[in-house]
Amino acid sequence: LVVDGKAVAKTIRDEITVDVSRMKESIGVVPGLAVILVGDRKDSATYVRNKKKACESVGIKSLEVRLAEDCSEEQVLKSISCFNDDPSIHGILVQLPLPSHMDEQNILNAVSIEKDVDGFHPLNIGRLAMRGREPLFVPCTPKGCIELLHRYNVEIKGKRAVVIGRSNIVGMPAALLLQREDATVSIIHSRTKNPEEITREADIIIAAVGQPNMVRGSWIKPGAVIIDVGINPVDDPNAPRGYRLVGDVCYEEACQIASAITPVPGGVGPMTIAMLLSNTLISAKRIHNFE
């Protein structure tokens, strides 16, 4: 079974469109998202363009600030502070990675926790990690992974889950979310001894390491469900652009063994953007006490 992230994301965008127009009609508020892009990385520019397009498609208004690669950290903080104070903006997103001369931590901490639609503020992550606390926002990519499992009715409670990779953006929050859903979670990373043995025990695998085709068929328990977060360009002279995108899981091998798997592209990617829209809507509803 191919887990069609594109189709699920479309359904979610349709649900958001309805809510956005209902909100506009009943209280005259349109959710607003501000995106801050520093420097001129091609991939970041593409992500930002896709996020803006997605906003338009559901009726969320988006603002974009582009700053030069060599701008000062102060300029970035100033933009954030303006958006923190702007009542028409309900979500603020700083596109990562930032240029190396900036302190990422400083900048992410400056985003108002009420507008932290990326879910990267340490208070949001901290609440995510604690039982009985609710974060205001959950990071978009891991939230999208869990949402896919829910929408495909994959049982999580009591299952063994393995998360491969422990980044602050995906791996670590994905493990925390699975734990909140009562899975038994192991995290595999570069220092793990015999990762394939641990992975072979998993009913659910979330792979987020950025290593093309790292997870082989032999790593996978028959019937496992695989969510592949990787998007890795690999050279391919036959592809139109000279490269194609592959995940962290060897798809050809895994699709023979897993009961369900996300394709790359078209799996987790569209879900990440759908969750950003969802978080922005949640934020606007919360700020305006709109049910």
Side-chain angles (χ1 to χ4, degrees), residues 127-198:
R127 288 178 185 169
L128 181 65
M130 295 168 79
R131 291 187 61 121
R133 301 281 176 98
E134 285 298 325
L136 292 175
F137 302 100
V138 173
C140 301
T141 301
K143 182 178 179 175
C145 294
I146 302 296
E147 187 65 32
L148 275 178
L149 293 172
H150 286 326
R151 300 234 174 189
Y152 273 84
N153 297 318
V154 176
E155 174 90 25
I156 305 176
K157 188 185 290 200
K159 293 287 192 258
R160 287 190 172 186
V162 162
V163 177
I164 306 176
R166 52 175 170 180
S167 70
N168 291 338
I169 292 179
V170 187
M172 184 265 305
L176 293 171
L177 279 170
L178 286 163
Q179 198 151 284
R180 282 181 94 94
E181 300 267 346
D182 297 324
T184 302
V185 184
S186 307
I187 300 178
I188 283 175
H189 47 79
S190 57
R191 305 280 189 277
T192 303
K193 301 258 191 296
N194 49 15
E196 57 282 355
E197 282 177 34
I198 299 169

Side-chain angles (χ1 to χ4, degrees), residues 79-96:
S79 295
I80 292 174
S81 157
C82 284
F83 290 134
N84 280 340
D85 297 339
D86 182 342
S88 75
I89 295 297
H90 306 97
I92 301 170
L93 181 150
V94 181
Q95 184 65 44
L96 301 178

